[in-house]
């Protein structure tokens, strides 16, 4: 079912059935019933798209087996290179840095919103409150403290100029969340003390929003972002979990991450 179709025509129905507050409680995690899938791109200087203004990403060999008896590369990158998580201090002073987060902040129940059809028609598409109502009408409540992940189809553009999708004025265009939708997720507790917004693009903000309104709301308390995700076809709509792991730099704004999806076996 295309849960986003006919939103404007069905606005009255959505309002009459909308969930106001109290998303689903945190689901039980049973590792014996889970399998791991990778949700990360491989970082390669030949293909990795870097956010405009971020440091260049380079890899260089500093030791070889033949000359040194071991192999080692020197990695030069910004903390938000490739698949990564962002920490609250990335946008808000006084909020936790990556080394101040707890392990529980990086392992979250996940839901996936498939907006590929809308993103293909409109690269500036912003997920609305109505989209979230319709999602819950079909799939049930979003768990408290969830990672709400957008599957936009942008992962297929990785390694090409289409990932940035610059226009003639140099502005990026990619889909994201509308600020009103994130306000609703916060006000109803679906994003609470912890939680995340995830996406296969550069940011949970739409690309043309140079005010980063969604990021400013998201990055408080212990909430994080999961950005430039890959392989989202392997993450179920509901019932999965995400786990982000990366280097914990002192006062880090986040980290290049290996993000795993934990998917029910059945």
């Amino acid at each position: 079912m295309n849960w986003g179709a006919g939103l404007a025509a069905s606005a009255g129905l959505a309002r009459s059935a909308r969930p106001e507050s109290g998303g689903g409680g945190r689901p039980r995690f049973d590792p014996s019933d889970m399998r791991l899938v990778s949700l990360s791109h491989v970082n390669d200087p030949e293909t990795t798209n870097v956010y405009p203004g971020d440091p260049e990403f380079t890899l260089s060999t500093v030791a070889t087996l033949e000359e040194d008896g071991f192999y080692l590369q020197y990695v030069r990158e910004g903390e938000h290179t490739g698949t990564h998580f962002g920490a609250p201090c990335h946008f808000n002073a006084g909020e936790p840095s990556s080394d101040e987060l707890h392990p529980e902040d990086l392992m979250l129940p996940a839901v996936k919103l498939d907006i590929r059809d809308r993103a293909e028609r409109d690269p500036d598409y912003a997920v609305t409150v109505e989209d979230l109502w319709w999602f819950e009408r079909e799939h049930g409540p979003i768990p408290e403290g969830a990672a709400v992940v957008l599957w936009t189809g942008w992962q297929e553009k990785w390694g090409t100029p289409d990932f940035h999708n610059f226009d003639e004025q140099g502005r990026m265009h990619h889909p994201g969340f509308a600020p009103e939708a994130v306000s609703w997720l916060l006000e109803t507790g679906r994003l609470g003390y912890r939680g995340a917004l995830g996406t296969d693009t550069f940011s949970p903000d739409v690309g043309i929003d140079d005010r980063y309104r969604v990021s400013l709301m998201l990055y408080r308390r212990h909430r994080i972002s999961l950005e430039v995700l890959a392989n989202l076809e392997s993450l179920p709509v509901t019932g999965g979990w995400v786990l982000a792991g990366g280097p914990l730099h002192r006062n880090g704004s986040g980290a290049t991450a290996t993000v795993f999806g934990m998917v029910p076996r059945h």
Side-chain angles (χ1 to χ4, degrees):
M1 175 180 178
N2 184 345
W3 49 266
L7 287 175
S10 304
L13 175 61
R15 290 189 179 90
S16 67
R18 70 191 185 193
E20 296 291 350
S21 62
R26 191 173 178 90
R28 184 177 66 89
F29 177 74
D30 181 0
S32 67
D33 191 42
M34 295 287 180
R35 61 183 179 88
L36 288 178
V37 296
S38 173
L39 302 181
S40 298
H41 290 285
V42 175
N43 275 344
D44 180 343
E46 296 298 321
T47 58
T48 294
N49 298 105
V50 176
Y51 192 84
D54 279 8
E56 179 185 5
F57 170 53
T58 63
L59 288 173
S60 56
T61 301
V62 295
T64 65
L65 292 172
E66 293 78 11
E67 295 186 7
D68 306 286
F70 63 95
Y71 170 61
L72 184 68
Q73 292 188 104
Y74 170 54
V75 183
R76 181 180 182 272
E77 62 182 3
E79 290 178 311
H80 294 239
T81 298
T83 303
H84 63 275
F85 74 85
C89 73
H90 186 39
F91 270 84
N92 295 297
E95 298 291 347
S97 54
S98 61
D99 54 309
E100 295 173 320
L101 294 175
H102 302 154
E104 292 89 346
D105 301 325
L106 303 177
M107 180 176 167
L108 304 166
V111 300
K112 182 181 72 176
L113 279 63
D114 183 355
I115 63 164
R116 289 175 296 166
D117 55 348
R118 278 153 285 172
E120 185 175 4
R121 293 192 300 268
D122 178 7
D124 299 321
Y125 187 80
V127 168
T128 66
V129 177
E130 287 86 355
D131 286 339
L132 297 171
W133 292 342
W134 276 101
F135 178 88
E136 292 202 341
R137 183 177 175 85
E138 181 170 358
H139 299 290
I142 295 170
E144 297 173 8
V148 182
V149 177
L150 293 188
W151 186 17
T152 75
W154 239 246
Q155 64 190 49
E156 305 301 330
K157 306 175 188 292
W158 181 249
T160 76
D162 290 340
F163 196 85
H164 288 95
N165 199 26
F166 289 122
D167 63 20
E168 294 180 354
Q169 287 74 45
R171 297 175 301 181
M172 283 196 307
H173 294 267
H174 65 65
F177 291 88
E180 296 78 13
V182 178
S183 290
W184 182 80
L185 288 169
L186 293 169
E187 290 166 3
T188 61
R190 286 154 175 83
L191 293 177
Y193 178 80
R194 58 175 53 94
L197 297 177
T199 178
D200 51 6
T201 72
F202 274 128
S203 169
D205 300 278
V206 293
I208 57 174
D209 185 0
D210 58 6
R211 294 164 57 193
Y212 307 109
R213 291 172 292 170
V214 164
S215 291
L216 285 166
M217 288 189 289
L218 169 67
Y219 289 123
R220 296 192 176 99
R221 303 173 84 176
H222 279 228
R223 297 188 295 268
I224 65 171
S225 67
L226 299 168
E227 300 173 1
V228 195
L229 296 171
N231 197 29
L232 285 178
E233 65 276 4
S234 66
L235 186 70
V237 174
T238 62
W241 290 66
V242 290
L243 172 64
L248 296 180
H249 302 129
R250 182 65 64 198
N251 300 320
S253 67
T256 297
T258 301
V259 179
F260 293 103
M262 291 168 283
V263 178
R265 295 182 185 275
H266 305 291

